Amino acid sequence: MIQIDTTSHCNLKCHFCARSKPEYEDVIPINTELGWDDFLTTIHSVNEYLEKNGLEKTCILHGAGEPLLWKHYREGLLYARKLGFDTKLITNGILLKDELADFVIENITFGLNVSINAATPETYREVCGFSDPERIFSNCRSLLEKMRKSEKRPRRVTFSLVETDKNRHEVQRFRGMWAEYRDIVKVAIIPDIFRQKEGAFTPDINGTCVRLKPHSFKILQNGDVLPCCMSRFLPLGNIRKQSMEEIAGSVVYQSMQALNEAGKLGAIYECSKLCLNKPA
């Protein structure tokens, strides 16, 4: 899976998001977006690397914001499809209605995940900071009805809730909200990936990470290539200065893969602190 960071514009203020975390203030640009020429450079470099090595071509145009706010989203997605990419979308669902919903159903092939994060308007407002939660709930029901009538749909459709202290009491209710559509959509309850263990941090070299998959990368708007979706502190190289072949073959990336396979990824400090330092 290749993740291309297209926009950091967002129409929500989710309390669990990296954008709300002080430690990310200096590394997540806010209200920026990827230009069309830089997108073309990125997608062509990635495509060349994947095809040369006979690798699966799946991409998600998603960064630190709501992907449907990227002004080039439709043409970017269609361009990726033209190159033969399977496509995935993670969205908060605010814009997922009418003709845009039809476009998504037609052109998202691999997976669609709508991150909803609450079962009631009151909790949604508290968790996501949006004044009209019923719009999202209505959009999602309408989307599922459209899928029921459509001959095409993404192979995987998921409605997710990131479980935090503010919405944990609604998990079962959230599951029940979508029970009548279980033939179309799966419900996923996702742990808060930014929640850390309480107390002082103690590094532990042990551990593995499911996000660190071979030949999967996140590419930022500035061209930096990261080994996974969480690792903004660990750039492997820059796609505008190096080939993907060179970046993927780097000592750093190959060492990370080897440590992960051996169950020793915690030897990398940032991995130990950010991803492996989780409550039991």
Side-chain angles (χ1 to χ4, degrees), residues 259-274:
L259 287 168
N260 198 38
E261 186 174 348
K264 301 294 184 183
L265 188 61
I268 299 175
Y269 178 83
E270 292 297 344
C271 294
S272 178
K273 184 176 182 180
L274 185 60

Side-chain angles (χ1 to χ4, degrees), residues 66-277:
E66 165 54 41
L68 296 180
L69 289 173
W70 185 39
K71 65 182 179 182
H72 301 297
Y73 185 80
R74 295 192 194 208
E75 58 186 321
L77 187 70
L78 291 174
Y79 198 88
R81 290 287 312 280
K82 183 179 178 180
L83 291 175
F85 279 87
D86 249 352
T87 51
K88 181 178 179 181
L89 170 65
I90 301 175
T91 175
N92 59 38
I94 292 178
L95 302 176
L96 202 58
K97 61 180 182 178
D98 303 330
E99 192 271 334
L100 183 53
D102 294 332
F103 175 83
V104 165
I105 292 171
E106 178 75 17
N107 292 289
I108 295 298
T109 57
F110 178 78
L112 169 65
N113 182 355
V114 185
S115 183
I116 304 174
N117 302 314
T120 63
E122 296 76 19
T123 299
Y124 193 94
R125 291 187 190 97
E126 184 178 8
V127 171
C128 299
F130 186 63
S131 62
D132 188 16
E134 289 293 354
R135 184 197 307 182
I136 290 91
F137 300 154
S138 175
N139 286 353
C140 289
R141 293 188 187 96
S142 176
L143 178 76
L144 294 173
E145 291 294 341
K146 283 175 178 284
M147 287 184 177
R148 225 168 223 169
K149 299 172 184 176
S150 175
E151 294 182 359
K152 293 186 69 175
R153 71 175 72 154
R155 295 196 295 277
R156 303 176 186 176
V157 181
T158 306
F159 286 177
S160 63
L161 178 147
V162 176
E163 184 180 356
T164 74
D165 293 340
K166 295 179 182 293
N167 62 13
R168 185 167 294 116
H169 62 288
E170 291 193 349
V171 166
Q172 292 308 313
R173 185 169 180 173
F174 182 78
R175 294 183 188 278
M177 285 177 66
W178 313 109
E180 64 181 293
Y181 299 104
R182 61 170 58 94
D183 58 315
I184 302 173
V185 64
K186 292 185 177 181
V187 171
I189 308 302
I190 302 173
D192 180 358
I193 58 176
F194 292 103
R195 186 183 175 205
Q196 302 289 297
K197 292 179 181 177
E198 296 181 359
F201 168 62
T202 303
D204 182 353
I205 69 167
N206 296 303
T208 60
C209 183
V210 297
R211 298 181 186 86
L212 190 64
K213 298 176 181 178
H215 310 292
S216 290
F217 302 94
K218 179 172 182 175
I219 305 171
L220 301 183
Q221 293 175 34
N222 66 3
D224 282 351
V225 179
L226 311 178
C228 74
C229 62
M230 295 288 289
S231 54
R232 285 181 175 268
F233 302 101
L234 293 169
L236 302 169
N238 190 286
I239 202 166
R240 295 174 202 158
K241 301 175 183 178
Q242 302 157 272
S243 69
M244 278 301 302
E245 196 78 36
E246 182 181 359
I247 293 170
S250 67
V251 172
V252 174
Y253 183 65
Q254 293 302 318
S255 297
M256 291 184 74
Q257 291 293 338
L259 287 168
N260 198 38
E261 186 174 348
K264 301 294 184 183
L265 188 61
I268 299 175
Y269 178 83
E270 292 297 344
C271 294
S272 178
K273 184 176 182 180
L274 185 60
C275 283
L276 306 179
N277 182 38

